[in-house]
């Protein structure tokens, strides 16, 4: 770009561009309110058709679950030695997805990355719903789900407490903590917007918002305390978020099953979770933006930034994957060798190459800004990531169980309709919750955007107009 | 007032739970209706020992329910006019067992053995209560795992390892 | 009660084992192990607590087949035990890897953790069409669907003899306690006893130069000790 | 508020005007605790010329953390001794599992106590009738002032002088 | 107005509360039913062990049955029994499932819809006996009734023989597939000609240094597998200072071969050649105890070692090595097994093998070959020795030509067990009336008009002389361990009742009121003996101890040395095996072998046995075809590919198991599956290789040459997963890691 070209830019249009990017365009508060509230009322037949379709999928999945409970785990495709199948793989996948919300809203909040503002709520909601879906699987996969309460630590006349040496206990506690944390985090940040919605709606919605906004008036003291609480949350939830997927990885790593028994599993899982979670978020944002006509708030620069994050997480994932793989390959231990052979050239090869290509191609794609800023290309890339990461979970859980120290007891696994229905149920359930959430609660955090407007201005430095942030937080 | 209903509902739930607890206890301790109006009290007061009718707890896991033949051993001559006794006699003649309702019951996955308990010096009354004072037999304790453990876990150090072991009762 | 707790071990003499399956059926009869049928077996969901693995060595015509009965190895450092969230499996003072069926909630974590893959799972509701249910051993819990079961060294038989001996005021003698597989094994390939009793047959056999432990390099310290085949003991 | 006090609500378009109005009200002798500023955006402290408020939230969180730590320690270190069962040759209490459990319970308590603490601090939920104006969430800055009747004119004057869009009796709204 | 709440209602209410609050286990009301008159020895909740005899195969092992509250719960070996010494095989363990089989016949039935209709009409026993008596009385000639028996209790065989002879008809014909596969008939004939006694010899495996097993699956189904397995264990690790050496000659690596130190995949029918060559080498090279050779040199006159080596495809050097191994051992046994008997040259091959024992002077020595000493049990002998296939063929011919009006069948299932080419199914159709005593509707019972189900062995009386026996003279007694579950009736009692109704000489010949009466009378014969392991003062106390011990046996071992008869004065003939089927169109030898679990198919209705895997392939619940990897690749088939096996007499389809332990020119298929009728666990499962077998017999013994059929194999292109325990991906490897 030559200097003359820069000079050729008319000053006004340049300023407008920045304002646009930072949502600084001249819009009154109430206009922004309406812009966020209006999509919540847009419920066309397509919306209801989607809701009904998803509900049917969920109902079918619930039937499958009932069938599973009534007849036993044998209706699923799991067997000996593949004791864990799609259920646990999907569980790990959903827990992974849930990591993006914290990444966006806690990490980026702490780092004061202001582009996060319009997407935090979407990310937090995703976390909460993904955890709900993940939380179902420990129940689904229990052989005697009606006895699940034996895992709860409560005083009883049997004097029996749960075994806290079991990673499943850590898992249960950590996921519960993370679920509480992320839900409360979502809720706290939602209160001012609920108050806003309360003031601008009627009928049942107003009643709902009234109750949920707890009497928020927006006084200085309230804002101050809310800020304080959110800061504590941001700090506190990051170790939780790291611990959750580490613990999930320890479910596998504490066993002496070859390829599971790995010290790199915890960071590898966390990075993988961030990778898949961010990709899922990008995916959802593209869809929601289209579905709710939120182009005004969710702009290409958000996708650009998100795409970059996905790219970074993806590269980190490759690094961790490779760091694990090279050591296992080099060690050449018999069972590990068998497992790697199975993946690279055996019955798991199709899955393995699907996994690798679906995880690597998006990394190449996302290098290009064009991909990051074009919604459909971004959608393709991030969907690929999710396919890849789901496959990766299946390979880790199912693939590695197919081979063990006793060749006599090796086995193969393929899911049955019950497992597929239940897995689909959680995807449908997630989509359903998300769809309903987007019509009931302000999808874009209004107050955060308004706050952002306060902080930013466009300044002229020499010939250039640049956005600057005021250090006021 | 809405809040009143809320509190009302809460109280209802609490009362329901407490009532449920009490009722289930009552039900555990309630004496079941037996096919024959048999009275332990009458027999014990007549001087019959527990082991006369229930002879096997010293050598077998079960105490044993007396056979109809055993009943008839005495009631061939004693109190033969009593309609209840005549009913026992009719069972005997038809060769049908008397369908007694079990009073003290353990679930399938609990393996209780009378013999070691009596061997350790426990009396029938320790667990079954003073049956000799009961007209209709009923359970006097809720025989759940906590109750078993009350004894089993308070044993000397060399014994507690075995006695508080799950495999002591679950197999 | 013994002053030192016994350490129950099972010796499997591979030189004697003929692969005849008597132990497999005896175990099934003693422990109420359901038969799962053809389809479930194809799916890899068979339920034998003890199974005989057959290994091939060499190629035709210089080929050899070896048999190895494999059951729960009753590891001391059992990888399956700590992972159970509800203590349904744990280690007893007498060295048994216990599985409490009524406590099991069916996470199958122990199954995934077991390096020997000897833990079996009740995938479907077990069926005993009438009057086959009459064959069920009243000393052993009949398991429902959705829980893990495995070889217990026939703990009910251990207890039966112990209680009997105790009632007679004596200690069980070596060889008196026999799990069903040991009791029936036609070539006497299985020997059961107390490793803490230096005079017991298992203690002597365990010191044989033929003895080895399955996957010994994992350090699980199994309570099943194998004696290598094809060699004399002298 | 005492009976002979007047309360007023004033709405402003701009934060600068609001800050100015607050300053002017201060000069009229109305202290900070008689004024409530309501906004739809969190203004930085001192943006409107008022001092920071003291908050007990960190102490609540700290107390929560200690409770969580104790629960975690109880569950991971005490309960294994209540019914002793050995697993896998591990000691009944191992450092790694105990650390995980203690950590997670501490974090859980921090999260929960933060949430409860902030609600406590904010007196939430408080649905009862409170002075409020719906224009706040449309971007207006509202000042709620309580003062003695003798300042009535002066206050009105100050507010008008600072481009208050609306001055009136606050509506008591069931929130 | 207030309704009085009864206590029962109150209980219901509390139950409701329980359900609602979910705080207590739901109401449990269990009914306890005490005995009306308790049996003496029964303690409630405590097990009682009854001693009896296993009847799942002819071996006659002693069992003890654990009975709790009147229900049999577990079968174990009788620890005092001299034969099995407390041990029991898989089949013996599964006997409970015969008792509790859901497909048992619960009473006498008439097949009212015609034969094969499977429409059964229950009958009272009196009606059923009326029919039987009527059929016997209306016979034009007593020779028009035939009794076909299989695995029969000894006392029933005696009663039947008595019954038939008093009636004027010929003795029962005994034939069953299990015995045929074991070669019992041929073995008995060989013993008779060699030792002058029609008995099954005992091989002292426990003390043997070297064992050459020629097709004897003595660890699986052959003869007395439990006692032989026990002896094998001792041979392996129980001998002082040594470990026995086992060489197994068989076309397929059976489980016995797998336990052997060496397996020689021998050409089918060539076993005799090897034995002859070894004998010849021993003689020529004066190996071992040369002093004992002299009387037998004539036997090997016609043998040329090189010829034998060529014919058996085993190099001369190998034969020399074996000869040295065999001759150098102090105790060496050669066992002629069932695999030999199933060949066209079976008789001569078995003679050639047995001759090795003569040559090395192993007859009657420790670690050699014995006959069992009957001692005082002689009166109990008269075990039903299985007849030859030729005898049966004569019966089939007579049936076909309408010479039989009434056929009685006990303990065998010829429709399933005989080759299709034997034509039994057509023959039975031409018999006007067929009565079966089967407990199950098997293929033969389905073709009967009347079924008079016997008790199962756990509900009935009897005894069995173990054959081949133990070193101690022994009789195993059998007694009911539980009350009969259903309205079945002991066939012995049926015969006695029929005899009573027939009256006349039949009634005189069978004067007992029931079979127990007969058995008690028989048992008193042993009462006087001083050799017994227990003493009884009175006959009735002897009867009690006889039941309590599970039989009678002596304190001490009394082995018996056979007398070697004059047959050994002639050279052993060298006879070539003959096979059915043209070699070009049927290139493979069919090798049917008895399944270790299902035996000849009579275990197929027991789920425990169906679920117990085959030791070699780990397959259960089905039939498979074993192919050498080379054969499989030449046919282009792999694991689980369904192939069609075609013989000149039939065909079957089954999935392939690639089996590295089988000759490339041999196809092995286990026997036992392929039942059309036999209850839910057996029906429509797998296929029966015996159906393909040609009905050619060994001219020497008249036994069915079940291993002398050739087949061809065609891939079908379909696949069917076999239920196997082993993972194919594991490739038969041991633990890795």
């Amino acid at each position: 770009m030559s200097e003359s070209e820069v000079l050729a830019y008319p000053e006004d249009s340049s300023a407008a561009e920045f304002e646009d990017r930072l949502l600084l365009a001249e819009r009154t508060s109430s206009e922004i309110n309406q812009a966020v509230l209006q999509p919540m009322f847009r419920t066309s037949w397509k919306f209801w058709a989607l809701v009904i379709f998803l509900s049917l999928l969920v109902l079918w999945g619930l039937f499958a679950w009932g069938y599973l409970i009534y007849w036993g785990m044998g209706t699923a495709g799991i067997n000996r030695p593949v004791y864990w199948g799609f259920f646990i793989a999907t569980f790990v996948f959903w827990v992974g997805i849930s990591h993006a919300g914290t990444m966006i809203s806690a990490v980026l909040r702490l780092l004061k990355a202001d582009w996060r503002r319009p997407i935090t709520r979407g990310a937090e909601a995703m976390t909460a719903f993904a955890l709900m879906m993940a939380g179902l699987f420990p129940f689904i996969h229990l052989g005697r789900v009606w006895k699940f309460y034996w895992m709860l630590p409560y005083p009883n006349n049997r004097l029996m407490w749960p075994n806290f040496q079991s990673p499943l206990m850590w898992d249960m506690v950590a996921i519960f903590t993370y679920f509480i944390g992320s839900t409360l985090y979502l809720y706290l940040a939602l209160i001012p917007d609920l108050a806003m919605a309360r003031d601008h709606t009627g009928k049942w919605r107003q009643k709902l918002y009234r109750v949920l906004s707890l009497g928020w008036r927006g006084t200085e003291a309230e804002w101050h305390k809310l800020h304080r609480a959110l800061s504590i949350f941001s700090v506190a939830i990051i170790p939780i978020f790291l611990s959750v997927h580490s613990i999930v990885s320890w479910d596998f790593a504490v066993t002496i099953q070859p390829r599971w028994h790995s010290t790199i599993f915890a960071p590898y899982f966390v990075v993988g979770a961030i990778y898949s979670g961010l990709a899922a978020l990008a995916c959802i944002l593209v869809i929601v933006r289209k579905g709710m006509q939120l182009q005004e708030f969710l702009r290409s620069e958000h996708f650009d930034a998100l795409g970059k994050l996905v790219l970074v997480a993806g590269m980190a994932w490759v690094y961790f994957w490779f760091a694990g793989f090279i050591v296992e390959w080099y060690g050449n231990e018999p069972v590990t060798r068998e497992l790697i052979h199975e993946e690279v050239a055996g019955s798991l090869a199709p899955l393995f190459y699907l996994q690798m290509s679906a995880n690597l191609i998006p990394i190449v794609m996302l290098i290009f800004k064009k991909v990051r800023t074009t919604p459909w290309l971004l959608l393709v890339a991030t969907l690929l990531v999710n396919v890849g990461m789901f496959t990766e979970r299946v390979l880790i859980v199912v693939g590695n169980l197919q081979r063990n120290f006793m060749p006599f007891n090796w086995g193969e696994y393929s899911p049955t309709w019950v497992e597929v229905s239940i897995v689909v149920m959680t995807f449908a359930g997630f989509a359903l919750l998300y769809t309903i959430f987007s019509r009931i609660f302000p999808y874009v955090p209004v107050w955060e955007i308004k706050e952002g407007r306060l902080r930013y201005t466009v300044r002229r430095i020499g010939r250039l107009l640049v956005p600057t942030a005021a250090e006021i937080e | 007032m809405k809040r009143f209903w809320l509190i009302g509902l809460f109280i209802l739930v609490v009362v329901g739970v407490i009532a449920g607890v009490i009722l289930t206890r009552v039900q555990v301790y309630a004496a079941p209706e037996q096919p024959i109006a048999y009275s332990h009290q009458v027999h014990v007061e007549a001087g019959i020992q527990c082991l006369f009718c229930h002879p096997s707890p010293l050598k077998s896991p079960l105490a044993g329910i007396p056979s109809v033949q055993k009943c008839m051993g005495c009631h061939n001559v004693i109190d033969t006019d009593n309609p209840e006794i005549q009913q026992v006699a009719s069972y005997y003649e038809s060769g049908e067992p008397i369908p007694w309702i079990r009073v003290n019951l353990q679930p399938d996955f609990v393996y209780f053995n009378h013999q070691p308990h009596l061997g350790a010096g426990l009396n029938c009354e320790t667990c079954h209560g003073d049956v000799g004072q009961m007209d209709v037999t009923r359970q006097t304790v809720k025989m759940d795992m906590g109750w078993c453990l009350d004894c089993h876990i308070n044993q000397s150090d060399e014994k507690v390892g075995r006695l508080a072991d799950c495999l002591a009762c679950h197999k | 009660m013994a002053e030192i707790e016994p350490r129950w071990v099972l010796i499997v003499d591979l030189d004697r084992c003929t692969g005849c399956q008597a132990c497999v059926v005896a175990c099934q009869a003693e422990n109420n192990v359901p038969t799962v049928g053809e389809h479930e077996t194809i799916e890899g969901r068979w339920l034998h607590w003890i199974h005989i693995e057959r290994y091939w060595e060499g190629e035709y015509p210089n080929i050899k087949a070896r048999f190895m009965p494999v059951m729960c190895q009753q590891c001391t450092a059992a990888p399956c035990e700590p992972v159970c969230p509800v203590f349904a499996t744990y280690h007893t003072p007498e060295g048994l890897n216990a599985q409490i069926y009524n406590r099991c909630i069916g996470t199958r974590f122990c199954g995934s953790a077991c390096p020997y893959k000897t833990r079996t799972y009740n995938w479907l509701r077990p069926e005993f069409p009438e009057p086959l249910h009459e064959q069920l051993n009243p000393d052993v819990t009949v398991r429902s669907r959705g829980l893990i079961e495995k070889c217990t060294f026939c703990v009910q038989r251990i207890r039966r003899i112990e209680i009997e001996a105790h009632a007679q005021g004596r200690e069980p003698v070596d060889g008196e306690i026999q799990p069903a597989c040991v009791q029936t094994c036609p070539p006497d390939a299985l020997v059961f006893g107390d490793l803490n009793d230096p005079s017991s047959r298992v203690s002597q056999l365990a010191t044989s130069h033929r003895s080895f432990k399955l996957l010994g390099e994992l350090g699980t310290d199994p309570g099943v000790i194998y004696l290598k085949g094809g060699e004399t003991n002298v | 508020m005492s009976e002979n006090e007047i309360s007023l609500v004033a709405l402003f378009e701009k934060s600068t005007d609001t800050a100015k109005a607050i300053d002017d009200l201060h000069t009229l002798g109305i202290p900070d605790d008689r004024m409530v500023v309501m906004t739809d955006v969190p203004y930085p402290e001192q943006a409107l010329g008022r001092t920071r408020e003291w908050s007990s939230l960190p102490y609540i969180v700290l107390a929560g953390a200690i409770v969580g730590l104790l629960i975690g320690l109880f569950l991971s270190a005490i309960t294994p001794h209540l019914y002793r069962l050995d697993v896998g040759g591990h000691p009944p209490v191992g450092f790694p599992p105990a650390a995980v459990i203690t950590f997670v319970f501490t974090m859980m308590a921090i999260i929960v106590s933060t949430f409860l603490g902030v609600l406590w601090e904010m007196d939430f939920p408080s649905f009862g009738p409170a002075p409020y104006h719906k224009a706040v969430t449309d971007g207006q800055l509202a000042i709620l002032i309580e003062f003695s009747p003798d300042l009535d004119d002066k206050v009105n004057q100050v507010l008008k002088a600072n481009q208050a869009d609306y001055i009136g009796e606050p509506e008591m709204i069931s929130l | 107005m207030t309704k009085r709440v009864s206590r029962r209602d109150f209980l219901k209410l509390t139950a409701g509360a329980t359900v609602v609050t979910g705080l207590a286990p739901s109401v449990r009301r269990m009914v306890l039913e005490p005995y009306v008159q308790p049996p003496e020895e029964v303690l409630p909740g405590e097990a009682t062990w009854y001693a009896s005899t296993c009847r799942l195969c002819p071996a006659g092992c002693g069992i003890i049955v654990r009975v709790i509250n009147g229900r049999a719960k577990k079968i174990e070996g009788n620890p005092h029994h001299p034969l099995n010494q407390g041990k029991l095989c898989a089949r013996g363990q599964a006997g409970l499932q015969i008792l509790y089989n859901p497909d048992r016949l619960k009473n006498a039935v008439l097949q009212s819809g015609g034969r094969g209709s499977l429409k059964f009409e229950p009958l009272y026993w009196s009606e059923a006996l009326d029919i039987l008596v009527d059929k016997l009385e209306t016979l034009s000639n007593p020779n028009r009734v035939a009794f076909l028996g299989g695995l029969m209790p000894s006392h029933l065989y005696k009663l039947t023989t008595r019954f038939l002879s008093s009636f004027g008809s010929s003795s029962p014909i005994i034939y069953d597939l299990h015995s045929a596969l074991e070669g019992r008939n041929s073995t008995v004939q060989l013993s008779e000609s060699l030792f002058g006694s029609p008995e099954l010899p005992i091989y002292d495996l426990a003390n043997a240094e070297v064992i050459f097993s020629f097709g004897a699956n003595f660890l699986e189904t052959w003869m007395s597998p439990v006692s032989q397995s026990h002896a094998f264990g001792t041979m392996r690790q129980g001998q002082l200072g040594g470990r026995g050496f086992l060489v197994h000659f068989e076309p397929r690596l059976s489980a016995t071969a797998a336990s052997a130190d060496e397996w020689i995949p021998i050409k089918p029918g060539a076993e005799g050649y090897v034995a002859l060559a070894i004998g010849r080498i021993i003689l020529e090279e004066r190996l071992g105890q040369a002093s004992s050779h002299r009387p037998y040199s004539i036997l090997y006159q016609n043998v040329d070692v090189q010829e034998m080596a060529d014919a058996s495809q085993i190099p001369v050097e190998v034969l020399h090595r074996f000869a040295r191994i065999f001759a150098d051992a102090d105790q060496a046994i050669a066992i002629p097994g069932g695999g030999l008997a199933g060949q066209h040259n079976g008789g001569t091959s078995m003679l050639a093998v047995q001759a090795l024992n003569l040559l090395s002077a192993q007859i009657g020595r420790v670690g050699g070959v014995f006959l069992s000493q009957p001692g005082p049990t002689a009166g109990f002998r008269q075990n039903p020795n299985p007849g030859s296939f030729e005898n049966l063929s004569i019966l089939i011919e007579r049936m076909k030509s309408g010479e039989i009006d009434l056929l009685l069948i006990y303990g065998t299932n010829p429709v399933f067990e005989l080759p299709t080419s034997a034509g039994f199914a057509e023959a039975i159709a031409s018999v006007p009336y067929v009565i079966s005593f089967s407990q199950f509707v098997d293929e033969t019972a389905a073709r009967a008009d009347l079924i008079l189900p016997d008790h199962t062995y756990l509900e009935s009386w009897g005894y069995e002389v173990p054959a081949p026996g133990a070193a101690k003279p022994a009789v195993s007694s059998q007694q009911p361990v539980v009350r009969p579950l259903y309205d079945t009736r002991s066939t012995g009692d049926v015969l006695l009742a029929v005899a009573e109704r027939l009256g006349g000489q039949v009634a005189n010949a069978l004067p007992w009121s029931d079979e127990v009466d007969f058995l008690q009378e028989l048992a008193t014969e042993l009462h006087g003996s001083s050799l017994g392991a227990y003493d009884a003062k009175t006959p009735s106390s002897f009867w009690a101890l006889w039941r309590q011990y599970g039989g009678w046996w002596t304190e001490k071992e009394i082995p018996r040395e056979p007398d070697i008869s004059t047959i050994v004065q002639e050279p052993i003939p060298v006879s070539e095996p003959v096979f059915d089927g043209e070699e070009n169109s049927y290139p493979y030898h069919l090798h049917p072998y008895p399944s270790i679990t299902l035996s000849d198919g009579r275990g197929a209705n027991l789920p425990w046995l169906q679920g117990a895997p085959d030791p070699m392939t780990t397959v259960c619940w089905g039939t498979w075809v074993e192919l050498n990897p080379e054969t499989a690749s030449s046919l282009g088939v792999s694991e689980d590919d369904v192939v069609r096996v075609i013989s000149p007499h039939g065909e079957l389809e089954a999935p392939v198991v690639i089996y590295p332990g089988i000759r490339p020119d041999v196809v092995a298929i286990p026997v036992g599956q392929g039942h059309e009728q036999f209850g839910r666990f057996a029906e429509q499962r797998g296929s029966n290789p015996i159906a393909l077998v040609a009905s050619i017999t060994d001219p020497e013994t008249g036994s069915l040459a079940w291993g002398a059929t050739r087949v061809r194999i065609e891939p079908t292109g379909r696949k069917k997963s076999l239920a196997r325990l082993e993972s194919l991906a594991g490739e038969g490897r041991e633990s890795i890691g």
Side-chain angles (χ1 to χ4, degrees), chain C residues 3-222:
Chain C
E3 279 172 13
I4 7 165
E5 286 287 353
R7 164 90 203 273
W8 300 120
V9 295
L10 180 67
I11 305 271
V12 183
D13 190 338
L14 300 181
D15 206 27
R16 284 173 181 252
C17 177
T18 65
C20 73
Q21 310 290 337
C23 51
V24 175
V25 179
C27 173
Q28 217 168 358
E30 174 70 28
N31 291 304
N32 301 337
V33 180
T35 30
V36 293
E38 184 175 12
H39 176 258
E40 289 296 290
T41 311
I42 291 171
E43 295 282 315
R45 304 209 188 110
W46 42 276
L47 273 182
H48 301 297
W49 286 7
I50 178 171
H51 63 272
I52 300 176
E53 302 194 352
R54 189 267 302 107
Y55 308 129
W56 290 117
E57 272 171 16
E59 269 179 39
Y60 180 86
N62 298 313
I63 187 158
K64 272 192 179 289
R66 289 187 297 115
F67 297 114
M68 173 123 114
V70 179
M71 69 300 288
C72 171
Q73 302 286 305
Q74 312 281 351
C75 312
T76 307
C80 58
E81 287 171 0
V83 298
C84 177
V86 293
F87 282 121
T89 185
Y90 70 98
H91 219 71
T92 75
E94 44 191 332
L96 295 178
N97 180 275
Q99 173 72 21
I100 308 302
Y101 310 119
N102 47 302
R103 180 73 181 172
C104 179
I105 57 175
T107 65
R108 301 185 295 291
F109 202 162
C110 52
S112 293
C114 173
Y116 306 96
K117 297 291 169 234
T118 50
R119 288 178 158 265
T120 59
Y121 190 70
N122 273 274
W123 298 98
L124 297 169
R125 203 178 300 199
E127 277 177 32
F128 301 96
E130 276 200 58
L132 274 180
H133 66 279
E134 298 280 13
Q135 84 203 1
L136 294 173
N137 184 353
D139 292 350
V140 178
T141 310
V142 181
R143 282 80 58 187
S144 75
R145 68 195 184 283
L147 47 82
I148 286 272
E149 58 181 66
K150 64 162 197 82
C151 165
T152 62
F153 272 176
C154 283
V155 64
Q156 72 282 3
R157 293 171 74 109
I158 301 179
R159 290 285 178 272
R160 193 163 81 208
I161 302 292
E162 276 178 350
I163 289 174
E164 246 173 57
H166 196 57
Q168 294 163 11
R170 61 180 178 90
E171 295 293 326
V173 291
D174 184 37
E176 190 181 1
I177 297 176
Q178 288 186 323
C181 54
V182 176
Q183 195 283 328
T184 205
C185 178
D188 265 337
L190 305 172
V191 185
F192 185 76
D194 175 11
L195 196 63
N196 285 348
D197 171 6
S199 64
S200 68
R201 229 182 121 201
V202 289
S203 296
Q204 285 155 11
L205 287 171
T207 57
S208 160
H209 74 279
R210 297 195 290 136
S211 75
F212 71 98
K213 293 182 174 180
L214 191 52
L215 298 177
E217 67 278 9
L218 295 180
T220 51
D221 189 12

Side-chain angles (χ1 to χ4, degrees), chain A residues 185-196:
Chain A
Y185 194 36
L186 168 68
Y187 178 55
L188 268 188
L190 192 58
I191 291 177
D193 285 350
L194 288 170
M196 180 276 287

Side-chain angles (χ1 to χ4, degrees), chain A residues 69-74 76 78-80 83-84 141-144 147 150 161 163 166 168 251 404 408-409, chain C residues 43-46 53 82-85 87 102 104-109 111 117 119 121 123-125 145:
Chain A
I69 294 172
Y70 187 78
W71 290 109
M73 279 290 140
I78 38 181
N79 55 36
R80 200 167 70 106
Y83 276 118
W84 290 346
H141 107 121
L142 279 193
R144 301 205 297 166
K147 300 284 189 201
W150 283 343
W161 292 83
N163 177 10
S166 167
L168 284 188
D251 282 348
N404 50 55
F408 189 90
N409 289 313
Chain C
E43 295 282 315
R45 304 209 188 110
W46 42 276
E53 302 194 352
V83 298
C84 177
F87 282 121
N102 47 302
C104 179
I105 57 175
T107 65
R108 301 185 295 291
F109 202 162
K117 297 291 169 234
R119 288 178 158 265
Y121 190 70
W123 298 98
L124 297 169
R125 203 178 300 199
R145 68 195 184 283

Side-chain angles (χ1 to χ4, degrees), chain D residues 10-111:
Chain D
L11 299 177
F12 297 87
E13 191 66 37
K14 289 188 175 146
S15 54
T16 45
D17 294 338
T18 322
K20 184 78 181 20
I22 292 169
D23 285 347
D24 292 350
L25 290 168
H26 281 158
T27 52
L28 284 178
I30 299 171
D32 267 347
D33 61 355
R34 310 299 292 278
M35 280 188 268
V36 176
V37 181
M38 294 183 286
T39 55
D40 68 338
V41 176
Y43 279 89
E45 290 150 25
Q46 289 113 26
L48 302 174
R50 284 152 59 93
T51 49
R52 156 197 271 266
E53 278 192 47
W54 185 80
S55 159
S56 56
L57 192 56
Y59 300 97
I60 296 176
V61 174
L62 190 64
I66 292 168
V67 170
L69 184 78
L70 291 178
I71 294 176
L73 282 175
F74 168 75
L75 292 176
S76 59
I78 309 289
T79 61
H81 293 286
L82 296 179
Y83 198 123
R84 172 84 189 263
L85 291 169
D86 293 335
V87 286
H90 290 181
V93 181
F95 168 71
V100 172
I101 288 293
T102 314
F103 165 76
V104 177
F105 270 97
T106 310
M107 295 319 289
M108 189 198 290
I110 287 176
I111 292 284

